[in-house]
Amino acid sequence: MSRPPKQIHLAAHFPGVNNTTVWSDPEAGSHIEFSSFAHFARTAERGKFDFLFLAEGLRLREQNGQIYDLDVVGRPDTFTVLAALAAVTERLGLTGTINSTFNEPYEVARQFASLDHLSDGRAGWNVVTSWDAFTGENFRRGGFLAQEHRYRRASNFLRATWELFDSWHGDEIVADAAAGVFLGDPEAGSFEHHDEDFDIAGRFTVPRSPQGRPVILQAGDSEEGREFAASSADAIFSRHSTLTAGQAFYADVKGRLARYGRTHDELLILPAATFVLGDTDAQAQELAHEVRLAQVSGQTAIKFLEQLWNRDLSGYDPDGPLPEIDPVAGENAVSRGRASVRYHKDPLAIAREWRDLAAAKNLSIRELIIEVTGRQSFVGSPATVARQINDLVQADAADGFILVPHVTPGGLDRFVDAVVPLLQERGVYRADYTGPTLRHHLGLAEPRRAGAAKEAGS
């Protein structure tokens, strides 16, 4: 017996913080003014998306000691933006990246519980760690943590916040005017948490929110990141948006769930995906090439090359050949604050691969960078893109996608107007929201309150 078709999950990433955002496009708007966030959120809600996602950088990236201004530079505070968007949307989930390395559990729990109340149960938290001392310089504690310690702290951080969220059961406020009783349980909000990283105790100030806890998302692709997602997350972001790579990642992460007593439907796999739409597939391919040229200017191509070569290459012609000199091995001293440099584990070997590719295809520096850096995930007419998305989801390469348009704030508009109706016609995407909270949208059960099993047996 064949299984019924899977329902597709879609989310929208407000673009920025990297060169894939074409801020020079005539249609591009502000990345700071609230009107841009509001337009983007309302479009996503009109398309019945599960949630809007805001990434966050805790320090502006630098290259050769200067702010890397080929990216979109700067963004308002995540909680402030999400709280404001709660007032102009009704069903759309509101998720953001908040760092577990430099924040504190009490502060973050209080902020997310407040957001969940303000939005009537639509808050989601992308739990991340920070990997470099460069970012740490912005904070009192400074420095950085080794990878295994980062994920241990993240796990302890998350569990501490769960205890804070669950310190209220949800029935403590009785507000009985006749009896003069407001709080039915004088111990409401009491908590105590002790581990290797946190030693906290007191009273949590925010009563239990509509979801109990925010939806937990995670974006790590390392072994530690995958294990953390399998143990604790409700959804994991992935960079594997092709069939083969997507299926391998999907099977790997879903295969880890059983050891934590979890089932396959308790963790969603949501790769990030870019797209270019045209009236025809051929037109879309032409537009996609134009977008890549805008994303990788000559100046940007040299900057990308410097990140691998780990040396100043500003004197090279982006329309000329690759440098004959080799990359400088060791710690990257040119690009600071960019996580992508960690993928260059063997710069000399990667340089050899790039030289072979450039020679085989007669590519200039700029042409090579366009070739080896991220291409669009979906390119074609609306019908083609709808089919591509559905094929990948039904083949268990993903449970859905987090769409990243290249223009703000209107880059999502045509997708919602042209692709979403086709997915709805296929019967693989909702015609309307069926529940009020982000957990409803994602098909997730309410979290079991910490200590509930113990109390039930007492």
Side-chain angles (χ1 to χ4, degrees):
M1 179 185 293
S2 62
R3 71 180 186 184
K6 291 168 62 178
Q7 292 295 297
I8 294 170
H9 292 277
L10 292 178
H13 183 310
F14 187 90
V17 305
N18 54 54
N19 73 295
T20 56
T21 304
V22 185
W23 54 262
S24 58
D25 190 288
E27 298 298 320
S30 172
H31 286 75
I32 295 177
E33 293 176 5
F34 181 65
S35 59
S36 290
F37 293 101
H39 178 111
F40 193 79
R42 286 168 172 148
T43 302
E45 187 165 70
R46 180 162 55 83
K48 313 304 177 186
F49 280 36
D50 291 337
F51 60 86
L52 171 146
F53 170 65
L54 288 182
E56 183 176 63
L58 295 180
R59 181 161 179 175
L60 295 179
R61 298 161 175 165
E62 294 181 10
Q63 192 146 329
N64 294 317
Q66 297 180 333
I67 291 175
Y68 186 76
D69 65 353
L70 301 179
D71 287 0
V72 171
V73 172
R75 170 169 288 167
D77 173 71
T78 295
F79 278 116
T80 306
V81 173
L82 293 179
L85 289 176
V88 298
T89 56
E90 295 180 354
R91 295 292 187 89
L92 181 70
L94 303 170
T95 70
T97 296
I98 296 297
N99 191 288
S100 64
T101 303
F102 299 114
N103 287 303
E104 295 296 328
Y106 184 90
E107 178 185 31
V108 170
R110 190 165 180 261
Q111 291 168 317
F112 269 113
S114 299
L115 177 63
D116 206 50
H117 275 293
L118 290 174
S119 64
D120 292 326
R122 296 184 281 138
W125 172 18
N126 180 34
V127 183
V128 300
T129 66
S130 190
W131 62 279
D132 64 335
F134 173 73
T135 299
E137 291 172 357
N138 272 354
F139 295 88
R140 179 182 63 183
R141 192 152 38 82
F144 70 104
L145 302 174
Q147 181 151 317
E148 63 275 11
H149 190 182
R150 283 193 286 119
Y151 278 103
R152 186 197 76 188
R153 178 183 166 89
S155 180
N156 288 338
F157 190 111
L158 185 58
R159 275 152 185 76
T161 64
W162 284 352
E163 291 181 26
L164 291 163
F165 294 131
D166 293 345
S167 65
W168 289 79
H169 300 176
D171 58 359
E172 294 89 345
I173 298 178
V174 295
D176 186 337
V181 176
F182 181 77
L183 198 63
D185 180 3
E187 297 300 315
S190 297
F191 69 90
E192 188 172 342
H193 179 93
H194 308 285
D195 60 38
E196 308 99 313
D197 298 293
F198 305 106
D199 186 15
I200 56 176
R203 293 291 185 97
F204 189 52
T205 60
V206 186
R208 193 165 183 83
S209 70
Q211 292 188 118
R213 306 172 191 166
V215 168
I216 300 299
L217 305 104
Q218 204 272 335
D221 194 34
S222 64
E223 180 68 20
E224 294 87 350
R226 296 181 187 207
E227 204 66 28
F228 180 68
S231 69
S232 307
D234 298 308
I236 182 170
F237 296 169
S238 160
R239 57 190 178 91
H240 305 290
S241 59
T242 60
L243 178 62
T244 302
Q247 287 178 324
F249 183 85
Y250 191 98
D252 177 77
V253 176
K254 295 269 189 174
R256 300 169 188 248
L257 292 169
R259 74 186 67 166
Y260 298 102
R262 307 180 70 196
T263 59
H264 274 214
D265 59 355
E266 292 183 63
L267 177 67
L268 300 176
I269 311 295
L270 303 173
T274 54
F275 62 91
V276 175
L277 294 170
D279 293 336
T280 65
D281 290 351
Q283 184 192 56
Q285 290 292 344
E286 293 178 4
L287 291 172
H289 181 65
E290 293 176 8
V291 171
R292 292 298 290 139
L293 289 174
Q295 291 171 330
V296 185
S297 65
Q299 186 182 8
T300 299
I302 294 297
K303 295 292 188 184
F304 266 95
L305 202 67
E306 288 179 339
Q307 290 167 24
L308 177 64
W309 254 252
N310 196 18
R311 61 168 81 226
D312 183 357
L313 300 175
S314 58
Y316 283 80
D317 180 359
D319 294 319
L322 288 173
E324 295 182 1
I325 55 175
D326 286 330
V328 176
E331 181 179 356
N332 196 297
V334 168
S335 183
R336 309 186 71 192
R338 295 190 71 93
S340 58
V341 300
R342 291 180 294 167
Y343 300 136
H344 302 327
K345 297 186 184 301
D346 189 345
L348 293 174
I350 297 173
R352 285 193 295 271
E353 293 175 4
W354 286 11
R355 283 174 173 144
D356 290 345
L357 179 61
K361 294 189 174 183
N362 192 29
L363 302 176
S364 67
I365 291 174
R366 185 184 183 196
E367 291 168 336
L368 174 76
I369 296 300
I370 290 174
E371 182 82 12
V372 300
T373 57
R375 297 181 178 181
Q376 294 89 355
S377 308
F378 303 115
V379 178
S381 67
T384 294
V385 170
R387 185 185 69 252
Q388 291 171 339
I389 290 174
N390 187 52
D391 287 349
L392 289 172
V393 171
Q394 304 309 329
D396 286 342
D399 291 311
F401 292 92
I402 300 174
L403 299 177
V404 190
H406 61 271
V407 171
T408 301
L412 199 63
D413 294 13
R414 190 175 184 193
F415 185 97
V416 166
D417 292 335
V419 179
V420 165
L422 298 178
L423 295 174
Q424 291 169 331
E425 288 176 8
R426 286 173 175 263
V428 295
Y429 189 70
R430 67 170 67 94
D432 202 354
Y433 294 108
T434 58
T437 70
L438 178 54
R439 288 190 176 277
H440 280 106
H441 305 343
L442 297 173
L444 300 171
E446 292 187 9
R448 185 174 180 83
R449 187 170 52 81
K454 180 179 179 180
E455 292 172 7
S458 61

